[in-house]
Amino acid sequence: MTENTQQQNPAPTTELPTQYAPAQVEGELYERWVERGYFEADAKSDKPPYTIVIPPPNVTGSLHLGHAFEHTLIDALTRRKRMQGYETLWQPGMDHAGIATQNVVERELAKEGKSRHDLGREAFIERVWQWKGESGGQISGQMRRLGDGVDWSRERFTMDEGLSEAVQTIFKKLYDDELIYRAERIINWCPRCLTAISDIEVEYQDDDGELVSIRYGDGDASIVVATTRAETMLGDTAVAVHPEDERYRHLVGTEIELPLTGRRIPVVADEHVDPEFGTGAVKVTPAHDPNDFEIGQRHGLPNLAVMDEHAVITVHGPFQGLDRLEARSAIVAALRADGRIVAEKRPYTHSVGHCSRCKTTIEPRLSMQWWVKVGPLAKAAGDAVRDGKVKIHPQEMEKRYFDWVDNLHDWCISRQLWWGHRIPVWYGPNGEIVCVGPDEEAPTGEGWRQDTDVLDTWFSSGLWPFSTLGWPQQTESLAKFYPNSVLVTGYDILFFWVARMMMFGLYAMDGTPPFHTIALHGMVRDQFGKKMSKSFGNAVNPLDWMDTYGSDAVRFTLARGANPGVDVPIGEDWVQASRNFANKIWNATRFALMNGATVEGELPPVEQLSAVDRWILSRLNKTVAEVDGLYEDYQFSKLSEALYHFAWDEVFDWYVELSKTTFFEGGEPARVSGRVLGEVLDVTLRLLHPVVPFVTDTLWTTLTGGESLVIADWPSDSGFRDEAAEREIELVQQVVTEVRRFRSDQGLQPGQKVPAELTLTGTALAPHEAAIRQLLRLQPAGEGFHATASLPVAGATVALDLSGTIDVEAERKRLAKDLGAAEKEKQQATAKLGNEAFLAKAPDNVVDKIRTRLAKAEADIDRITTQLANLPQA
């Protein structure tokens, strides 16, 4: 029937507690898994490898719902592959998170009245390591709570000695290949953190500012420009207009006076300017705006910096020493007094970039920085996907990937921090520049000094798939587990992290990409689809939910919502429903164990099996095949739904209920069904284990006596199918479902017993009469039986005696009212569908909805008419 290769042991006699208590199970069970080494990967194994790296969380971080979501998906994949016989490595570790970690430690120092400069670089870095040892990495303990099956023996940190060697090695290689260079460019600058920051570390939000229009020059030789950053005008070195703008053609090539400064600046023609926007003229400040910098490069304009690293004005006496915001107000006032302000709009809402760490408004700033020339690296990263070496899932995300890698600008990799990988470049007393590899001696002597900057955190995390395996050393782990099988990560860092890993992996590993598949998931949102945020008051600590409902409930909820590349709404009531599912699994297995469910011995031959037994085994194998296909397509939501409905509906609500009579009667049929039920539970628990590992492992070891589901075999589809049995049980389900609906319509309570006569002769239903009566609470038709309702269903007839059980007259009035509403709905839908003018104009989806309404109305009329006919006569 089903193919389970692991040797089964007889079920132990230990009884399960009456209720499942996750808190009493999960922590102890997880530590047992770790102690027994279940998650450790052996590079010497001859098993096929399956590798996934954890997207390294920040050492400053804690487990949020997004982490829990992503980790659940990765854990499900790796648990299944381990059960399938793969040498499975889920690589854990953390990122040193340069800016975030430095800020944390600087805040700690501030409480002592100190700054990092009071300590000096070496002492400050020692203080950061001390903090990391004492307080960093709390997320590791939280991952254990969730059940992450990572190989803790291989845990890595991006500032470890081995990973630092990898960083220095690839920097040297890129430098020698002229793919790293130093140049003065516009970067995102945080005046609070005092460092360049990457695009991903800039958060844009709508701020209220002011838009002022300023007249440069006088008379016919004047131009009006508008700006939200009036303080930068002190650094203007030109005004630009479009070459074909007739309004300013006479001024191109001339100079006009820059107000307040006494300087004269040229008017240049540049196609970057939009003549339809505003006045069609823009001020050009090459040292403080990325677009202006490009214009300046094209026209040979000087770069005049007017602010220091603290965003304090450094030029022009009256404003020198003012903060940028103070200077903005002072300069506008001075321009107003000089009659230069043409218009003011206040408040003016516009998008402004802020440092994601400290929320300070970032300042575009001309700065000497280190850069990666990404052109050839990005081309290789794009070609790897185009050529099919790497697949992006879902495929529609490929366009976003190509839009990014095909248009990448050179990457600023230097940061003005102390915590991080220091740039391995030394400067000599006579202008010498030496890049030092890990096996090379740094130059010594008077006048030699190392660059003070550190590398962008994304530089080291871009090496993660191979640096964690020992590169640049040619280790057994690197040979075994590179490339990774799949990368599971959010689409939000497709550009920043995934693209970096692709570029570095292809470059460092001789054209071998870092992974075969990129499986992208969406973001977790609240039940209304809104982004979760502390400021919105809707952020959820997953640990709170784990404490209340258990880790399995949180995991199953997250997996059940995970459609590829789509955001995941989640609410607490969904976690409650998942808790109920875990309880259902527990209670059903407990019932099964109490009624003889066993995995001991071979399954009985087919000829000894009842139709119910053959039906559930057929459905079991179909479910195995379906779940396997969905796993391979990363359809976590669909596979979770399939498992939920198979386990709850088919196994627990139908098979167990249909088998209760057999168990009650005992004998050989009960023994056979006990073995079948044991088989079904065994396989069902295996299928569920990757998503809900704790409750399933507890139940499975009790049921089978096996060591652990973590190392059990994944079930295989044996190919057994019994379509006849499936059709037969479908008839039973139809009878039960229809009669239950009728009972509900008549207002009968679920447990209320009703005398009934079943005419099942000549149908496949006859062997199931006892089960049907049990499920429908139908008593035998004794003396005085009077059939007041007769239901023809599935080729059989169920006659019920409802005498004295319902208020017939009240029920007749209610049904008559419902019938009138259904007939009115049918009349309206029929009229619309008979209107040719309406059909000619209405969209297809509108017409389809009306057809659906008509079909439902007709079905309701048939159902209510039957119910009225079946009511007892007064």
Side-chain angles (χ1 to χ4, degrees), residues 342-414:
V342 175
E344 296 181 66
K345 185 174 182 180
R346 191 183 297 112
Y348 177 73
T349 303
H350 61 128
S351 182
V352 178
H354 296 259
C355 174
S356 63
R357 302 299 176 187
C358 68
K359 311 309 177 187
T360 302
T361 301
I362 64 108
E363 190 66 41
R365 183 169 187 259
L366 186 65
S367 180
M368 183 67 76
Q369 301 285 346
W370 285 94
W371 304 81
V372 172
K373 187 183 296 182
V374 300
L377 303 175
K379 182 181 184 304
D383 289 346
V385 175
R386 289 189 175 92
D387 297 344
K389 288 183 180 178
V390 178
K391 298 185 184 304
I392 293 180
H393 187 87
Q395 191 173 2
E396 53 266 28
M397 286 287 182
E398 283 186 2
K399 183 179 184 302
R400 297 181 65 175
Y401 176 79
F402 292 136
D403 287 345
W404 179 258
V405 298
D406 293 347
N407 298 284
L408 269 179
H409 298 294
D410 285 359
W411 171 20
C412 176
I413 56 171
S414 46

Side-chain angles (χ1 to χ4, degrees), residues 165-174 177 179 376-377 380-381 459-460 462-467 470-474 478 482 499-514:
E165 179 187 355
V167 168
Q168 192 173 355
T169 298
I170 202 162
F171 186 100
K172 169 71 171 175
K173 180 174 172 59
L174 289 163
D177 288 345
L179 292 173
L377 303 175
F459 191 93
S460 52
L463 312 179
W464 193 247
F466 51 94
S467 64
W471 187 90
Q473 308 304 321
Q474 297 305 306
L478 187 66
Y482 187 91
R500 308 274 190 251
M501 288 189 289
M502 286 286 285
M503 291 191 295
F504 280 168
L506 290 160
Y507 174 74
M509 301 300 292
D510 299 321
T512 302

Side-chain angles (χ1 to χ4, degrees), residues 220-267:
D220 291 338
S222 67
I223 295 180
V224 175
V225 298
T227 182
T228 58
R229 301 164 66 216
E231 68 279 8
T232 63
M233 68 161 291
L234 301 176
D236 287 358
T237 55
V239 170
V241 298
H242 194 274
E244 297 177 5
D245 195 331
E246 294 294 335
R247 294 171 296 176
Y248 305 118
R249 189 181 293 275
H250 67 291
L251 291 176
V252 174
T254 69
E255 291 185 341
I256 59 175
E257 184 175 343
L258 178 65
L260 304 181
T261 66
R263 288 193 290 116
R264 297 186 66 80
I265 57 177
V267 178

Side-chain angles (χ1 to χ4, degrees), residues 801-816:
D801 184 354
L802 303 179
S803 306
T805 61
I806 60 172
D807 184 336
V808 177
E809 193 56 38
E811 188 64 16
R812 195 181 303 280
K813 288 180 180 179
R814 184 184 71 81
L815 291 173

Side-chain angles (χ1 to χ4, degrees), residues 54-57 91-95 143 152 154-157 464:
I54 192 172
Q91 173 67 56
M94 286 181 291
D95 193 286
M143 287 167 60
W152 290 111
R154 293 173 175 266
E155 188 175 12
R156 296 292 181 266
F157 180 54
W464 193 247

